[in-house]
């Protein structure tokens, strides 16, 4: 049964390429409900994307077009490069080529869905996991049913951009903190938790996972969606949901096994954090181990798993299971050493802290004892950060002797992270706050809380655009850091003295194992992902796995790239 064609478009042109996992998830769900699904992937058509779209739509008339937006920008405070302008151009071309309605979604889209439906001129949008809502929307269009009956759907109507209330708001749950926005809701109902997502390779008009692996070095795997924690800088509880939606263990491992059978051995968890809901995490690992023990021919024997973790919970059993399952490395978001800074920043649902730096020290020891690499990340420049706390953090982190230690500086603010909400309330539409910064600001950055805005569109837009509609990505750097007064007082000030401080605190002999922010944002030493010269060279040369696993060897790899005649630019081949 073919109920109509749904076309899913990946507009992401950033390299190294990251496979649009969401389109595999959505395609699987739509196919199970009787729709034909095709993927138009522009990642490998950076220069000829218009031609690629034109040729595709020349003989196709889809019922619905879906566009996934993984990132609105680089989310890197020292670069501040937006992507949604390019996405708008692509949507404009879609408008010219097809009369089908367009729906937007994706993790980046979900950080400001009302503003992006409005800015991109979309008919519909989905905040959070999309499989259930998208299937309902496709069904409504196929049957001639009013899309206003699709729970959770964001609609662009003559009266403005509005959202159909989801089931979670119709069964007596507590009133939302930001009514009408869909912010900070449980989204378990939006996730297909039972099925195995189909991961294809070499199938026309599907995501080509092996091509992405060969050009990007990894594939994503989801064991659960959402997060119950309330860290003040994190978009994921809002965008993915404030409750864990645990996927069926067998379905997860079936998917991992399928990828490995395709020759895709490096797989990275896309959970908010793998070790939260640790019982479920251990069950996934036990199932991998069971299958490996059951058959020496299982492709899982070649699995190299890479995971995101928080410092706690992480015990000996988890470390052992990770190692036996084939985990190659653990990326831990420790963020800082100071308990007073982490208090109120890295918190549980109840607002309590959930780890100390001793937990990070233990995690690193356990990983190294079990043969796993580690990357430990610090986020500097949050409220209360001073030169003294920076020095203390750098000293403690370097003493860990992790495989790689990464220091980032500054935070990109989004509308629904706790810090974004709080700073909008403190600005109250009449004042700026020390530390609010944008590279393209033309005046003081004054935010308004939702209650002072005409609605979610206006509220969300101010975190991406200024009053003239020009891009102005709002970031935050602690004003207590040692900077020139003109830097802190200027909305376009750059915290370059702190960058210099960070470099001065690291012995040059240790530079090989450290990632540091750079003033220009385009150095081979920079840890920004998008179009990074080191990373593009890395993937062209055929290295796989988490990019940080090769960081210590970057000088040799870049030398290898130069000797091979590889031009370290995006798309070099």
């Amino acid at each position: 049964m073919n109920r109509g064609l749904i076309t899913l478009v990946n507009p992401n042109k950033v390299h190294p390429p990251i496979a649009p996992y969401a389109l595999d998830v959505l395609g699987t769900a739509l196919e199970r409900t009787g729709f034909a699904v095709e993927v138009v992937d522009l990642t490998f058509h950076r220069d000829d994307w218009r031609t690629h779209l034109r040729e595709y739509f020349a003989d196709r008339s889809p019922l619905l077009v879906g566009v996934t937006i993984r990132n609105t920008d680089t989310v890197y405070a020292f670069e501040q490069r937006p992507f949604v302008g390019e996405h708008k151009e692509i949507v404009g071309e879609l408008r010219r080529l097809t009369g089908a309605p367009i729906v937007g979604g994706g993790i980046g889209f979900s950080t400001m869905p009302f503003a992006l439906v409005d800015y991109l001129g979309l008919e519909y949008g989905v905040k959070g996991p999309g499989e259930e809502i998208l299937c309902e929307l496709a069904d409504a269009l196929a049957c001639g049913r009013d899309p206003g009956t699709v729970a959770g759907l964001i609609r662009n109507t003559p009266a403005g951009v509005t959202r159909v209330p989801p089931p979670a708001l119709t069964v007596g749950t507590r009133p939302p903190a930001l009514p009408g926005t869909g912010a900070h809701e449980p989204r378990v109902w939006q996730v297909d938790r039972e099925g195995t997502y189909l991961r294809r390779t070499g199938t026309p008009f599907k995501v080509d996972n092996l091509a992405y692996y060969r050009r990007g070095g990894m594939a994503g795997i989801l064991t659960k969606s959402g997060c119950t924690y309330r860290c003040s800088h994190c978009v994921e509880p809002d965008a993915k949901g404030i409750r864990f939606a645990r996927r069926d263990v067998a379905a997860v491992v079936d998917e991992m096994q399928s990828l490995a059978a395709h020759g895709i051995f490096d797989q990275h968890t896309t959970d908010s954090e793998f070790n939260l809901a640790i019982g479920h995490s251990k069950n996934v690992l036990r199932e991998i181990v069971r299958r490996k023990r059951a058959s020496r021919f299982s492709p899982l024997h070649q699995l190299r798993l890479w995971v995101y973790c928080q410092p706690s919970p992480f015990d000996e059993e988890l470390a052992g299971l990770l190692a036996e399952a084939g985990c190659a490395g653990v990326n831990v978001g420790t963020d800082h050493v100071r308990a007073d800074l982490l208090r109120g920043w890295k918190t549980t649902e109840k607002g309590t802290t959930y780890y100390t730096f001793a937990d990070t020290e233990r995690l690193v020891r356990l990983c190294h004892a079990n043969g796993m690499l580690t990357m430990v990340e610090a986020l500097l420049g949050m409220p209360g950060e001073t030169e003294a706390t920076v020095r203390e953090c750098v000293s403690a982190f370097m003493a860990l002797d992790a495989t790689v230690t990464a220091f980032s500086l500054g935070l990109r603010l989004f509308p629904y992270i706790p810090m974004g909400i709080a700073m909008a309330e403190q600005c109250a539409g009449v004042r700026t706050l020390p530390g609010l910064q944008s590279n393209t600001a033309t005046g003081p950055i004054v935010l308004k809380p939702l209650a002072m805005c005409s609605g979610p569109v206006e509220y969300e837009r101010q975190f991406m655009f200024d009053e003239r509609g020009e891009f102005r990505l709002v970031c935050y750097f602690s004003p207590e850091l040692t900077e020139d007064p003109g830097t802190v007082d200027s909305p376009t000030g750059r915290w370059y003295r702190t960058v210099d401080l960070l470099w001065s605190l690291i012995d040059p002999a240790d530079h090989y194992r450290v990632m540091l922010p750079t003033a220009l944002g385009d150095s081979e030493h920079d840890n920004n992902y998008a179009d990074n010269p080191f990373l593009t060279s890395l993937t062209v040369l055929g290295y796989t796995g988490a990019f940080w696993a090769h960081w210590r060897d970057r000088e040799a790899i870049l030398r290898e790239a130069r000797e091979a005649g590889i031009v370290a630019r995006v798309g070099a081949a």
Side-chain angles (χ1 to χ4, degrees), residues 379-532:
L379 174 55
L380 303 172
M382 291 287 283
E385 190 84 81
T386 65
E387 180 176 328
T389 63
V390 167
R391 290 178 179 274
E392 184 177 347
C393 185
V394 170
S395 176
F397 273 54
M398 292 304 294
L400 286 170
D401 197 27
T403 308
V404 179
T405 304
F407 297 98
S408 59
L409 176 63
L411 179 72
R412 170 77 167 96
L413 290 182
F414 286 95
Y416 301 113
I417 64 171
M419 268 186 69
I421 295 170
M423 290 189 173
E425 291 174 346
Q426 291 171 49
C427 286
V430 297
R431 66 184 68 87
T432 189
L433 294 177
L436 289 181
Q437 187 272 350
S438 177
N439 291 351
T440 58
T442 58
I445 299 170
V446 180
L447 302 173
K448 294 194 293 186
L450 177 63
M452 293 183 64
C453 295
S454 58
V457 170
E458 182 185 1
Y459 174 68
E460 294 172 5
R461 277 183 64 89
Q462 64 187 331
F463 289 85
M464 174 69 78
F465 304 97
D466 65 16
E467 296 81 0
R468 301 169 300 150
E470 301 294 329
F471 286 117
R472 185 206 62 190
L473 280 61
V474 179
C475 297
Y476 176 84
F477 297 84
S478 171
E480 297 179 54
L481 287 165
T482 305
E483 292 287 341
D484 298 326
T487 296
V488 177
D489 294 340
S490 170
T492 58
R494 314 290 176 91
W495 268 244
Y496 288 154
R497 285 189 60 174
T498 304
V499 173
D500 292 340
L501 170 67
L502 283 169
W503 280 89
S504 73
L505 294 176
I506 307 297
D507 187 326
D510 286 325
H511 282 174
Y512 74 100
R513 64 183 180 98
V514 180
M515 294 180 184
L516 291 165
T518 58
L520 296 178
D522 60 0
S523 161
E524 66 186 44
H525 300 288
D526 183 27
N527 61 344
N528 178 33
Y529 187 91
D531 299 335
N532 183 291

Side-chain angles (χ1 to χ4, degrees), residues 57-229:
F57 284 102
D59 58 358
R60 290 173 175 83
S61 299
L63 178 70
L64 176 67
V65 173
V67 178
T68 182
I69 296 177
R70 184 178 185 272
N71 292 111
T72 59
D73 53 86
T74 53
V75 198
Y76 184 62
F78 264 87
E79 184 180 31
Q80 301 183 23
R81 172 184 163 191
F83 299 140
V84 295
E86 295 178 8
H87 298 336
K88 185 178 179 69
E89 192 177 8
I90 291 167
V91 169
E93 189 68 10
L94 291 172
R95 283 270 176 251
R96 195 178 70 79
L97 297 171
T98 177
I102 303 176
V103 56
I107 181 66
F109 179 90
S110 297
T111 63
M112 48 182 69
F114 289 82
L116 290 178
V117 164
D118 178 72
Y119 172 72
L120 298 172
L122 308 177
E123 280 84 2
Y124 307 111
V126 176
K127 184 181 176 98
E131 51 264 44
E132 298 298 328
I133 295 175
L134 191 61
C135 286
E136 278 295 305
L137 173 60
D139 179 76
L141 295 174
C143 298
R145 177 163 54 91
D146 179 9
T149 62
V150 178
L153 182 67
I154 296 173
R155 299 187 300 151
N156 201 342
T157 73
V161 182
T162 62
R163 180 169 179 260
V164 182
L169 298 186
T170 62
V171 293
T173 56
R174 64 184 182 183
L178 297 170
T181 65
H184 298 278
E185 291 179 359
R187 306 193 193 282
V188 175
W189 67 276
Q190 296 179 218
V191 179
D192 174 10
R193 288 169 284 157
E194 302 301 321
T196 298
Y197 306 148
L198 299 179
R199 312 296 295 276
R200 296 180 173 94
T201 288
T203 304
F205 298 109
K206 302 293 184 184
V207 177
D208 191 338
N209 283 285
L210 184 58
Y212 270 99
Y213 181 55
R214 288 171 173 166
R215 296 287 297 275
M218 288 190 296
I221 191 76
L222 179 74
T223 77
K224 61 183 175 299
S225 185
C227 184
T228 63
Y229 288 50

